[in-house]
Amino acid sequence: MARKSGSNGEKTAKQLREAATALFAKNGYAAVSMRQIAREVGVQAGALYLYTADKQTLLFDLLDQHMQDLLQAWEERATPHSVTPMDKLECFVRFHIRFHLPRGDEVFISYMELRNLTPENFEVIQTSRRKYESILHDILSDGEADGTFKFVDTKVATFAIIAMLTGLNTWYRDEGRLSLDMVEEIYLDLVMSAAGAKR
Amino acid sequence: MARKSGSNGEKTAKQLREAATALFAKNGYAAVSMRQIAREVGVQAGALYLYTADKQTLLFDLLDQHMQDLLQAWEERATPHSVTPMDKLECFVRFHIRFHLPRGDEVFISYMELRNLTPENFEVIQTSRRKYESILHDILSDGEADGTFKFVDTKVATFAIIAMLTGLNTWYRDEGRLSLDMVEEIYLDLVMSAAGAKR
DNA sequence: ACGCTAACTGAACAAGCGTTCAAATGAAAT
DNA sequence: ATTTCATTTGAACGCTTGTTCAGTTAGCGT
């Protein structure tokens, strides 16, 4: 047999992205074969090449989509645009946690599989990442300018805060001791303290 | 030819560890072949099996050695054992940075390749890691008990601080803007602030 | 009912994988 | 000088890899 009954291109494309995301996160890009992904999708390996040029492009598209989603979600965030640096920082922390926590696999891949990108693809992702970091950096700078925050080095503080927040993904479990709301408050407190903000 | 002139077991063993560390860090465990490692060592692939049972054991040994070194270095740290929680935390921060920064590859592998360990091997490494985390946790607990520090949640603060410190490895470069001494002071300040310590 | 095209199979390709092992050779001890 | 043993080669094993492609079928517009 060839074409399968009930087959549909968009559905398969979506299944491919999902299967690849899950498998790459669990076993790593290099350790996952196209045949493994195909099995998960319920299709032969050859069929995948109707939806991606090659394995490398598949990885890149996943990472790029993730970064695009992240940046776009920030632009469209529900919270009304805040005015004071304090409000902005609070908004950023809450946003970061709520965006990243439900996307464990994507976040994991985005950090772990950078080295498996070709140099050109790497540069694209890196640019998006820097864009995101600059959002936080601008907030911290503003706050420092008007005396809300105090840092020895603002650039380092940016990295440190993002690393701290993203580290949440490595240990948080839905069934665990703490609710999403609680970790949000805990990290908010840690970040505000680190920023030297009096509350 | 068979045995090579000037050949020496211990030297080859060391070269194997170094080549494997560098290659695993750069390309990932799954993406690196035994033949690639062998080429780096300057030997045929078959010869590597005199020094490791198999590829999995090679990875495990590297990670395990790294964790052992870390825990032992803490025990033998040069700084005289401090008394106040404040001193202890300062000591820990400085130790963490000075131990981790010069070991970029090992640290990277230790975080990235955990998933490529067999479950039993993973458990061993995880135990060592928890041991290290508990060092910081104990310091934070003590400090909270005597009022030096203030946390909403001490366990979370432990994870957050370690993530923050380890994140340093992802951006620090020797040729960069900041010296080792400077980042040490910057991170010390961030950690102390996050801990709510008045200085 | 027919033709077109989107969707997929299944086999094939060359290349590379981890691992084993008999054979060969250098170094060290006698 | 001879033996012994550590060290390495090089070929071989069966298997998997990413990717291509001619052929086959399902769904859809006419």
Side-chain angles (χ1 to χ4, degrees):
Chain A
M1 69 201 73
R3 181 166 187 174
K4 296 161 80 178
S5 77
S7 70
N8 168 287
E10 285 200 30
K11 192 178 132 205
T12 308
K14 190 182 158 209
Q15 282 179 306
L16 167 57
R17 287 194 301 272
E18 290 175 355
T21 302
L23 284 171
F24 287 167
K26 191 166 192 181
N27 307 108
Y29 171 77
V32 173
S33 71
M34 293 301 272
R35 285 173 177 83
Q36 248 175 94
I37 299 173
R39 197 180 316 135
E40 203 73 17
V41 175
V43 111
Q44 292 294 320
L48 299 183
Y49 289 84
L50 276 129
Y51 304 98
T52 186
D54 47 42
K55 198 188 175 190
Q56 164 71 209
T57 305
L58 174 56
L59 173 63
F60 171 72
D61 285 343
L62 291 178
L63 298 206
D64 192 43
Q65 191 61 60
H66 174 69
M67 292 309 294
Q68 302 290 350
D69 288 351
L70 172 63
L71 292 171
Q72 194 181 335
W74 171 255
E75 294 302 328
E76 300 169 354
R77 86 209 90 107
T79 322
H81 288 222
S82 326
V83 280
T84 70
M86 188 88 114
D87 285 346
K88 284 187 197 165
L89 181 53
E90 174 171 344
C91 177
F92 180 87
V93 170
R94 293 189 192 278
F95 167 81
H96 184 99
I97 293 175
R98 294 204 107 89
F99 184 90
H100 284 78
L101 258 197
R103 291 174 174 81
D105 285 349
E106 287 86 347
V107 173
F108 196 73
I109 298 175
S110 291
Y111 275 82
M112 309 289 260
E113 304 297 354
L114 285 175
R115 63 184 166 189
N116 284 309
L117 292 173
T118 61
E120 313 88 61
N121 285 344
F122 175 80
E123 216 41 60
V124 175
I125 302 296
Q126 200 66 354
T127 301
S128 293
R129 174 149 302 165
R130 271 195 278 265
K131 216 164 176 177
Y132 184 67
E133 287 166 356
S134 77
I135 294 170
L136 176 59
H137 186 258
D138 289 349
I139 295 174
L140 299 185
S141 285
D142 289 355
E144 215 186 0
D146 79 355
T148 312
F149 308 136
K150 184 86 204 80
F151 301 107
V152 178
D153 188 289
T154 316
K155 272 191 202 304
V156 175
T158 306
F159 290 138
I161 289 173
I162 287 186
M164 192 167 112
L165 291 176
T166 307
L168 173 51
N169 271 65
T170 65
W171 63 265
Y172 183 82
R173 296 292 165 261
D174 278 330
E175 334 79 51
R177 177 171 63 94
L178 301 164
S179 70
L180 177 55
D181 285 337
M182 289 164 81
V183 291
E184 214 176 297
E185 298 309 317
I186 294 169
Y187 273 87
L188 198 54
D189 182 79
L190 282 166
V191 170
M192 287 299 174
S193 299
K198 298 161 272 298
R199 309 205 290 164
Chain B
M1 70 201 71
R3 179 166 187 174
K4 296 160 79 179
S5 77
S7 68
N8 169 286
E10 285 200 30
K11 191 177 135 207
T12 308
K14 189 181 159 209
Q15 283 178 305
L16 167 57
R17 286 194 302 272
E18 289 174 355
T21 302
L23 285 171
F24 287 167
K26 191 167 193 182
N27 307 108
Y29 171 77
V32 173
S33 72
M34 294 299 275
R35 284 174 178 83
Q36 249 174 93
I37 300 172
R39 197 180 317 136
E40 204 73 15
V41 175
V43 110
Q44 292 293 322
L48 299 183
Y49 289 84
L50 270 108
Y51 305 97
T52 184
D54 47 42
K55 198 187 174 191
Q56 165 70 210
T57 305
L58 174 57
L59 173 62
F60 171 72
D61 285 343
L62 292 178
L63 298 206
D64 192 43
Q65 191 62 59
H66 175 68
M67 292 309 295
Q68 302 290 350
D69 287 351
L70 172 63
L71 291 171
Q72 193 182 335
W74 171 256
E75 294 303 328
E76 300 169 355
R77 83 208 94 106
T79 322
H81 288 221
S82 325
V83 279
T84 70
M86 189 88 113
D87 286 346
K88 284 187 196 165
L89 182 54
E90 175 171 344
C91 176
F92 180 87
V93 170
R94 292 189 193 278
F95 167 81
H96 185 99
I97 293 175
R98 294 203 107 88
F99 184 89
H100 284 78
L101 258 196
R103 290 174 174 82
D105 286 349
E106 287 85 347
V107 173
F108 196 73
I109 298 175
S110 291
Y111 275 81
M112 309 288 261
E113 304 297 355
L114 286 174
R115 62 184 167 189
N116 284 309
L117 293 173
T118 60
E120 313 86 62
N121 285 344
F122 175 80
E123 215 43 58
V124 175
I125 303 295
Q126 200 66 355
T127 301
S128 293
R129 174 148 301 164
R130 272 195 277 266
K131 215 164 175 178
Y132 184 67
E133 286 166 357
S134 77
I135 294 171
L136 176 58
H137 186 259
D138 288 349
I139 295 174
L140 299 185
S141 285
D142 288 355
E144 214 186 0
D146 79 353
T148 312
F149 308 137
K150 183 86 204 81
F151 301 107
V152 178
D153 188 288
T154 316
K155 272 192 202 305
V156 175
T158 305
F159 289 138
I161 289 173
I162 287 186
M164 192 167 113
L165 291 176
T166 306
L168 173 51
N169 270 66
T170 65
W171 62 266
Y172 184 83
R173 296 292 166 261
D174 276 331
E175 332 81 50
R177 177 170 62 94
L178 301 165
S179 70
L180 178 54
D181 285 337
M182 289 164 81
V183 291
E184 214 175 298
E185 298 308 319
I186 294 168
Y187 273 86
L188 198 54
D189 182 80
L190 282 166
V191 170
M192 286 300 174
S193 299
K198 299 160 273 297
R199 309 204 292 162

